[in-house]
DNA sequence: ATACATCTGTACCGTGCAGTACAAAGTATC
DNA sequence: GATACTTTGTACTGCACGGTACAGATGTAT
């Protein structure tokens, strides 16, 4: 989702790259969570001043939502790719190992923005919390749809329950996110994924 | 850990029950996290005023730590009990189902204080974050010790790795905590535990 | 060249935060 | 009853928060 200035508009041109600034805001939210990230933290990291932030992204919640979109299309894009694997097993493998890798990527903060962005928070951030819940659930539903298809295709046993399996995988992913936030190594996270896959129906 | 006033001391007696007040503080921290819980939230819930809070519990961090201790001995005490089960399998079963039940207990906030208390936060709360990491790791280590003993007793296969298994169980537990914070039902959480146990070595 | 529209930077707004000073109130000892 | 000692309640402190007013800067369109 490019934030682009309308071409051919008079007025002083924007002196910063909005996408680059958004990336920096994303990193701050990722590291500190929605509540923990102050506007001063954000403007410092984005290297713009406050009115520029408000003009380009709206208020703090607006900026956070745009950061969420960017997160989904960037660091978390593997989750969508994983669902395109040929088999349910391959999709879930790629999902779990992809999470292990993504959450221990040294170029990014540890853990998952969708989990640690606002897990428990004050009243003011509760709409943000609900937004994150909705996005996590959407991911789980997408996986569930993929597993239902797999069941129809005979790719999953007839007695398996896609709803429960999708919830299990989502749960392990979220658990891995917490482990990563605690500082667990990539190797440790991958071993978790390996064990978790032993529960997968044959 | 009773907070008791020294007997036989002159002076105006405390007008509130410190343990009861601590329980109420625990609930606020549990629901809103460390950063999200303001002192006004806390004093309102505890039904005491600010100087009484500071006199009895120190500052906000001190209160939080005491709430953590109370959490461990109260709502989370099942984690210690679980390790006393006769077999590793029974211990892990009780741990996972216990978590599913505890985190969907209608008498308490949803989710796990050790997870959502301060997963990502601003700089000021980073020592609290580290404290929570340490406590989660301590729980994982305790389980690991139990599994090592089980291996020695022939209760776990010789090729199993207690470190990895303990990490897996801790991860599922933390994932269940996130699911609970998202509003998942008790039945859903128990099914997750059931699936997760399929990965357990025979 | 001039008018106009937008962006930038500074300096500010009201509010809520964690933490505290201080006087009044209550209990034990003498 | 006087004194010593602690808790209570009110009112306050300094500070950081999210958000904005406004003036000057910088571009495009005419």
């Amino acid at each position: 989702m490019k934030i682009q200035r309308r071409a051919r508009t008079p007025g002083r041109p924007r002196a910063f790259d909005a996408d680059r600034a958004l990336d920096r805001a994303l990193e701050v939210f990722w590291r500190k969570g929605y509540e923990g990230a102050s506007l001063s933290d954000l403007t410092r990291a984005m290297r713009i001043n406050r009115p520029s932030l408000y003009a380009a992204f709206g208020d703090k919640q607006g900026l956070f939502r745009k950061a969420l979109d960017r997160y989904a299309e960037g660091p978390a894009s593997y989750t969508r790719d994983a669902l395109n694997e040929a088999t349910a097993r391959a999709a879930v493998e790629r999902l779990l190992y992809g999470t292990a890798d993504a959450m221990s990527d040294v170029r990014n903060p540890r853990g998952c923005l969708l989990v640690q962005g606002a897990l428990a928070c004050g009243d003011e951030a509760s709409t943000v919390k609900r937004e994150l819940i909705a996005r996590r659930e959407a991911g789980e539903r997408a996986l569930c749809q993929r597993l239902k298809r797999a069941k129809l295709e005979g790719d999953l046993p007839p007695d398996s329950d896609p709803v429960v399996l999708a919830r299990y995988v989502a749960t392990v992913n979220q658990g891995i996110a917490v482990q990563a936030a605690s500082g667990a190594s990539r190797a440790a996270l991958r071993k978790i994924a390996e064990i978790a896959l032993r529960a997968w129906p044959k």
Side-chain angles (χ1 to χ4, degrees), chain A:
Chain A
M1 194 206 60
K2 267 271 193 187
I3 292 159
Q4 55 190 358
R5 60 185 307 253
R6 281 161 291 169
R8 216 191 329 261
T9 312
R12 181 171 176 173
R14 184 173 282 159
F16 61 93
D17 181 325
D19 283 332
R20 195 176 291 267
L22 185 53
D23 279 333
R24 290 172 175 149
L26 165 58
E27 190 186 319
V28 175
F29 280 130
W30 199 342
R31 186 158 276 133
K32 301 194 168 186
Y34 176 77
E35 272 186 331
S38 73
L39 277 184
S40 298
D41 292 333
L42 291 164
T43 54
R44 195 183 317 121
M46 298 167 84
R47 292 169 205 174
I48 63 179
N49 35 37
R50 224 167 268 229
S52 299
L53 188 157
Y54 276 83
F57 304 101
D59 61 357
K60 192 184 177 186
Q61 284 203 18
L63 177 62
F64 184 71
R65 270 168 228 270
K66 291 190 173 72
L68 282 181
D69 292 335
R70 195 141 181 90
Y71 181 72
E73 288 162 21
S77 58
Y78 71 94
T79 55
R80 257 180 263 181
D81 302 339
L83 300 188
N84 293 326
E85 290 286 335
T87 66
R89 166 84 192 199
V92 169
E93 263 184 34
R94 186 157 165 201
L95 205 48
L96 289 173
Y97 283 112
T99 298
D101 290 347
M103 313 229 156
S104 57
D105 190 331
V106 293
R107 295 170 308 175
N108 291 325
R110 307 194 68 87
C112 173
L113 176 61
L114 263 58
V115 172
Q116 69 205 28
L119 195 52
C121 55
D123 299 328
E124 194 173 350
S126 63
T127 72
V128 166
K129 180 175 113 181
R130 279 195 293 271
E131 166 95 21
L132 290 181
I133 291 174
R135 295 207 185 210
R136 291 197 298 265
E137 281 176 349
E140 189 177 314
R141 268 199 308 276
L143 174 59
C144 184
Q145 290 305 313
R146 178 66 186 84
L147 297 185
K148 279 181 179 166
R149 199 189 96 197
K151 190 171 170 182
L152 289 176
E153 290 170 348
D155 186 23
L156 270 178
D159 64 335
S160 59
D161 185 341
V163 173
V164 174
L165 288 177
R167 193 148 53 211
Y168 168 68
V169 173
T171 302
V172 173
N173 261 332
Q174 289 157 7
I176 288 175
V178 176
Q179 288 281 331
S182 309
S185 71
R186 173 166 294 184
L189 300 183
R190 292 183 70 93
K191 288 219 171 183
I192 295 167
E194 182 193 324
I195 305 282
L197 281 165
R198 290 192 196 155
W200 200 249
K202 287 164 198 49

